[in-house]
Amino acid sequence: METTTVLFYLFAVVLLGASARVITAKSTVHAALFLILAFFTASGLWMLLKAEFLAITLVLVYVGAVMVLFLFVVMMLDINQDEMRAGFWKHLPLAGLVGALIALEMAAVLLGGFKVSVAKEMPPEVLAMGNSKALGVEIYTHYLYPLQVAAVLLLVAIIAAIALTLRARKDSKFQDPSVQLKAKKADRVRLLKMDAVKPTPSQQQEGSS
């Protein structure tokens, strides 16, 4: 058995075990750490497939940014674990059935791609430039329209997420920069002319008498 095959089965076993622990771990922090391990092993599988760009992107984007931010949020929030796990085992058969159907559908879609010979489909000049450059050429030439559609969908999702979470809080204090820029000295400062020494009421009575 070749070294590549051994590494593939090793990464696959670790990936399946980490994925299972993501949904079965009792601690949310542990689940996030297992998800990070799953991302690392998935990037290892990408490396075995000679897709270095996708492997590095998976580590930098998901592990280095998204999961670190998610881990900080989970550790800062006070999440009630009992309420989140209420009825977990009751819905497990239905969830397993749905997961199996999704896995079969993905297998039916992806199995056709493994039958295509890359050496026959791609011209020699594309293969000589490297997979990262070839991926960029394919995305920004043949798949430019789907890329733009995906970018618009992501922009709409970002705007929708901001709109759903943007709520006015009564206990928060904020300043309006436009009002601050329109402020004038006469509106903020009022000068009063007063005597240097103001007589007390007893001195006023003595002066009147």
Side-chain angles (χ1 to χ4, degrees), residues 107-119:
V109 172
L110 296 176
L111 281 178
F114 291 103
K115 298 178 182 179
V116 178
S117 177
V118 179

Side-chain angles (χ1 to χ4, degrees), residues 96-178:
L97 179 61
V98 173
L101 289 176
I102 294 175
L104 291 176
E105 291 176 358
M106 292 180 64
V109 172
L110 296 176
L111 281 178
F114 291 103
K115 298 178 182 179
V116 178
S117 177
V118 179
K120 294 181 180 180
E121 293 292 331
M122 301 182 69
E125 58 271 12
V126 176
L127 294 175
M129 68 176 62
N131 51 23
S132 299
K133 189 174 181 179
L135 179 63
V137 171
E138 287 293 323
I139 289 178
Y140 290 101
T141 53
H142 299 91
Y143 299 97
L144 182 59
Y145 181 72
L147 178 67
Q148 297 296 328
V149 173
V152 172
L153 291 177
L154 290 176
L155 179 61
V156 172
I158 292 173
I159 296 175
I162 295 174
L164 291 175
T165 56
L166 186 61
R167 300 183 181 92
R169 296 181 55 182
K170 297 180 180 179
D171 57 344
S172 62
K173 297 180 180 180
F174 63 93
Q175 296 178 348
D176 191 355
S178 61

